[in-house]
Amino acid sequence: MKNTGIETIKGIRNLLEGKKKISIVPHENPDGDAMGSSLGLGQVLKNRGHEVQVMPVNDYPDFLKWFSSDVPVMVYEKDKKAVKEFLFSSDVLFCLDFNEEKRAGHLEKMIHRFEGEKVLIDHHPYPSSFCHFTVSEIEYSSTAELVFDVLAELGYTGSIDSAAAEALYTGILTDTGGFSHNISKNTFKVVSELLNCEINTDRIQSAVFHNFSADRMKLLGYCLNEKMQVFPEYRAAVIGLTKEELDRFNFIPGDSEGFVNYPLSINNIVFSALFIEKEGFVKASFRSKGDFPANAFSIEHFNGGGHLNAAGGESELNFQETLEKFTQLLPQYKHQLLKTKF
Ligand code: 5GP
Ligand code: MN
């Protein structure tokens, strides 16, 4: 951990002296890393005698609802009062896998108002300083990998049981796209430690990647066959899905997970975008190869952020206008896209 000094670790260790009430909040629309890192950390803290709850602002996809962890998960949108009560009676709040308060959606204001100690553990660039203790390491594949190293520094590895290890492994597995990107020597070192905790990796692989509905597979086929536009002259591609199309395929949250990656499998494509029409806005996802900055593109044009090669954002224009905005932006990035090396 390059940026995290011993004082930060000592500070976090002090916060966790005695039995504490602890809230853990991941980012909105939690993905495998958000839930995996939260449940992994939560399980270890619970194993050490703390009272812990994981509280995402909105629900997480069904393909993540199989964790062995017995840490309670309470979704703010489903039970606002209970989440508020638990949060404001907590001693410590951990913010996981996001870099600024607004990434927690409607929990933003409560995180801001929370008067106990706040700790951020995250791997996104440009962290804002809204916590007393910030562990921000952008070279990590995932927050889950980083949580493991924080636990090791705290001297807590003995409290990592198979439920915690399974959750952390899932965070690493999903944020690296099945160990295909952002991996380092440390990633595999951490994975090897987690494998010592007797986790069933075949089961996790099936639960995460081989657990789709037939409707989701048909939606993917429809996307690639009828909705993907490829712009070889810009080395870019885009897929857009309207609400009507999602309804036609009985869309449930999580069904479009991974769609944005497919165009990058096309020879010579280095930038891919996915736009999904939601209630009152359009959700954007961007993926890139090499040094083309998907995050800078998203910050500049779609009110978003993320990593160099994986970013997201949103648009308040209508669906058609959003797609047009994207395609009209491509000429101004032509030079950068054509010189992208990977
Ligand atoms: P995804 O495309 O999977 O939704 O997100 C890819 C990456 O971009 C993730 O690291 C996620 O945290 C980040 N991201 C997604 N949506 C947003 C957004 O609206 N704002 C910001 N700042 N980051 C986002
Ligand atoms: Mn992550």
Side-chain angles (χ1 to χ4, degrees):
M1 293 191 288
K2 275 190 188 160
N3 303 326
T4 309
I6 188 71
E7 290 310 315
T8 302
I9 296 296
K10 273 190 194 157
I12 298 172
R13 195 183 291 122
N14 286 342
L15 292 185
L16 299 172
E17 290 280 320
K19 306 282 176 234
K20 294 290 169 67
K21 188 165 179 178
I22 299 172
S23 290
I24 302 180
V25 173
H27 62 73
E28 188 173 24
N29 303 319
D31 58 8
D33 189 31
M35 289 312 295
S37 60
S38 295
L39 287 171
L41 173 68
Q43 189 69 48
V44 168
L45 297 176
K46 183 166 190 260
N47 295 344
R48 298 181 63 80
H50 301 289
E51 186 189 356
V52 189
Q53 213 156 268
V54 171
M55 307 194 297
V57 64
N58 60 348
D59 206 0
Y60 53 107
D62 287 351
F63 71 83
L64 293 171
K65 289 187 177 162
W66 48 267
F67 287 108
S68 324
S69 166
D70 61 0
V71 172
V73 178
M74 204 186 273
V75 177
Y76 175 70
E77 278 183 357
K78 289 186 178 169
D79 198 344
K80 293 189 174 136
K81 191 163 168 273
V83 167
K84 215 168 160 179
E85 267 171 28
F86 193 93
L87 177 65
F88 284 113
S89 59
S90 294
D91 305 298
V92 184
L93 165 62
F94 280 91
C95 296
L96 257 56
D97 201 32
F98 61 97
N99 55 356
E100 50 185 346
E101 286 158 307
K102 77 169 182 170
R103 293 281 296 130
H106 287 122
L107 285 174
E108 173 184 1
K109 286 204 180 79
M110 279 181 253
I111 292 176
H112 194 75
R113 288 209 322 267
F114 179 77
E115 286 178 348
E117 302 283 349
K118 289 182 248 190
V119 183
L120 175 72
I121 306 181
D122 180 47
H123 70 135
H124 290 91
Y126 320 118
S128 66
S129 55
F130 64 97
C131 290
H132 304 100
F133 296 100
T134 299
V135 178
S136 168
E137 301 284 345
I138 68 169
E139 264 132 49
Y140 275 67
S141 69
S142 50
T143 299
E145 181 188 332
L146 182 55
V147 163
F148 180 91
D149 278 357
V150 172
L151 292 171
E153 289 288 320
L154 289 168
Y156 291 178
T157 37
S159 304
I160 303 180
D161 59 2
S162 64
E166 172 193 83
L168 294 177
Y169 178 87
T170 302
I172 301 173
L173 179 73
T174 53
D175 251 25
T176 59
F179 304 116
S180 73
H181 48 76
N182 291 337
I183 44 182
S184 68
K185 272 199 289 194
N186 192 62
T187 311
F188 288 105
K189 185 170 154 273
V190 169
V191 165
S192 128
E193 300 279 346
L194 294 173
L195 295 185
N196 282 332
C197 301
E198 304 199 353
I199 55 176
N200 185 339
T201 53
D202 287 352
R203 178 177 157 263
I204 298 173
Q205 186 75 14
S206 288
V208 173
F209 295 122
H210 306 147
N211 199 6
F212 298 125
S213 66
D215 277 331
R216 187 265 185 193
M217 296 306 279
K218 289 179 187 175
L219 177 62
L220 172 62
Y222 172 71
C223 267
L224 298 179
N225 196 33
E226 297 190 33
K227 300 307 309 270
M228 182 173 68
Q229 288 175 268
V230 184
F231 305 96
E233 66 279 29
Y234 301 119
R235 305 173 85 193
V238 62
I239 298 171
L241 287 169
T242 64
K243 263 158 63 55
E244 183 279 316
E245 288 165 327
L246 300 178
D247 290 345
R248 209 185 316 154
F249 289 89
N250 303 313
F251 182 87
I252 55 166
D255 274 358
S256 58
E257 192 73 32
F259 284 12
V260 64
N261 294 309
Y262 281 89
L264 290 185
S265 306
I266 302 170
N267 176 23
N268 212 30
I269 296 299
V270 297
F271 187 40
S272 165
L274 172 71
F275 293 100
I276 296 191
E277 188 180 25
K278 304 269 179 188
E279 208 64 62
F281 72 103
V282 178
K283 170 83 186 110
S285 282
F286 303 102
R287 297 292 185 272
S288 67
K289 286 187 186 165
D291 53 9
F292 186 79
N295 53 2
F297 184 90
S298 186
I299 290 167
E300 178 82 16
H301 305 291
F302 290 94
N303 193 28
H307 306 278
L308 182 73
N309 296 129
E314 49 187 71
S315 160
E316 267 134 43
L317 299 174
N318 74 31
F319 178 76
Q320 207 47 47
E321 289 165 350
T322 302
L323 278 187
E324 280 162 19
K325 174 175 171 174
F326 176 78
T327 48
Q328 284 166 9
L329 281 166
L330 289 176
Q332 90 187 54
Y333 286 89
K334 184 171 183 174
H335 177 70
Q336 219 178 330
L337 287 162
L338 293 187
K339 75 174 179 50
T340 294
K341 288 194 193 65
F342 59 89

